[in-house]
Amino acid sequence: MVRVICVLIGYVFGLFQTAFFYGKMHGIDIREHGSGNSGTTNALRVLGTKAGLIVFAGDCLKCILAVLVVKLIFGNDYGDIMKLLCLYTGAGAILGHNYPFYMHFKGGKGIAATAGMVIAFDPLFTLVGVVVFFGTFFLTHFVSLGSLLVYTVLMIMLVICGQMGYFQGLEQGTLIEAYVVFALLMLLAFWKWRGTWRKLRFWAAEPGALHWPCFCITMDMR
């Protein structure tokens, strides 16, 4: 039951659509411009860098606040599984951001909310996420690729750290539950970014493409 409550708390916080409200303050409906998403990337594209930073901060903060509320409510009784509850709360915030009921379930892609979840989850994971995302973005200029690589790297890191005893006090069953929750969030991120793929070609050589040993991906930011 506590897990359901955490998801619901996260969902309520996730309903605050920073991009939508910021756009309304400037006389536009962000959903009618750019990619149509109510999130950081579209705000950056449509309203500029300042708007993108504000929207990112707002969407990130709402997830952090949700986790803080959960810690205040359940910290004493469920401190031993707080890492897991953090993931459930973050999942709720991401769902609230992606699928707000009052906007006909049309929100953003949940990447900024994910950043808030990672920040609230663990400082080491935050550091790795920052390095992977900005390293990828500066090399490729693709927000989508950076976001998906962060999810992939952190998923692998979560399993490795969990099995090596990094999360002291978490039993194996709880760890597996945490892996499943994060894996589902990763799959959701890949699903939400599915429209960004423009091409997948083996050994492509076009300028601006990202080269790997066996394939090349060209993506846009839609």
Side-chain angles (χ1 to χ4, degrees):
M1 185 63 182
V2 66
R3 291 162 173 77
V4 175
I5 295 175
C6 288
V7 172
L8 291 176
I9 290 174
Y11 185 83
V12 170
F13 275 85
L15 291 175
F16 185 85
Q17 297 290 311
T18 312
F20 175 75
F21 293 122
Y22 186 90
K24 284 296 185 181
M25 290 172 57
H26 290 77
I28 70 168
D29 187 339
I30 193 70
R31 298 170 299 172
E32 297 175 355
H33 300 269
S35 64
N37 286 297
S38 179
T40 299
T41 304
N42 200 36
L44 179 66
R45 182 189 303 116
V46 175
L47 297 170
T49 303
K50 178 182 176 181
L53 293 174
I54 291 174
V55 170
F56 177 84
D59 288 343
C60 183
L61 183 60
K62 66 188 181 186
C63 189
I64 295 174
L65 291 176
V67 173
L68 289 177
V69 169
V70 166
K71 288 182 178 180
L72 287 174
I73 296 175
F74 299 113
N76 292 331
D77 297 328
Y78 295 92
D80 56 330
I81 60 168
M82 189 50 62
K83 289 289 188 182
L84 176 63
L85 297 186
C86 174
L87 293 181
Y88 273 107
T89 307
I94 292 168
L95 291 175
H97 176 78
N98 291 357
Y99 306 105
F101 71 90
Y102 65 94
M103 293 172 61
H104 306 290
F105 300 98
K106 184 180 180 181
K109 291 186 173 73
I111 299 304
T114 298
M117 179 185 70
V118 174
I119 291 171
F121 180 73
D122 189 86
L124 177 61
F125 281 66
T126 302
L127 177 62
V128 172
V130 168
V131 171
V132 172
F133 177 81
F134 284 103
T136 304
F137 180 74
F138 288 141
L139 287 173
T140 68
H141 300 292
F142 295 129
V143 173
S144 49
L145 182 58
S147 302
L148 297 180
L149 280 179
V150 167
Y151 255 115
T152 303
V153 170
L154 292 187
M155 179 73 245
I156 296 171
M157 184 176 171
L158 180 66
V159 175
I160 293 175
C161 288
Q163 297 309 118
M164 291 181 64
Y166 178 75
F167 305 110
Q168 297 181 2
L170 290 185
E171 299 178 353
Q172 185 65 25
T174 304
L175 286 171
I176 293 175
E177 189 176 351
Y179 303 157
V180 171
V181 173
F182 198 88
L184 291 175
L185 292 176
M186 181 180 69
L187 292 175
L188 176 61
F190 273 83
W191 171 255
K192 293 294 289 185
W193 280 105
R194 68 192 183 282
T196 65
W197 300 92
R198 184 190 299 165
K199 295 178 182 179
L200 176 60
R201 301 175 307 165
F202 289 93
W203 295 102
E206 290 186 0
L210 173 66
H211 292 79
W212 295 91
C214 61
F215 63 86
C216 170
I217 301 172
T218 303
M219 304 175 68
D220 59 25
M221 292 177 60
R222 287 179 63 84

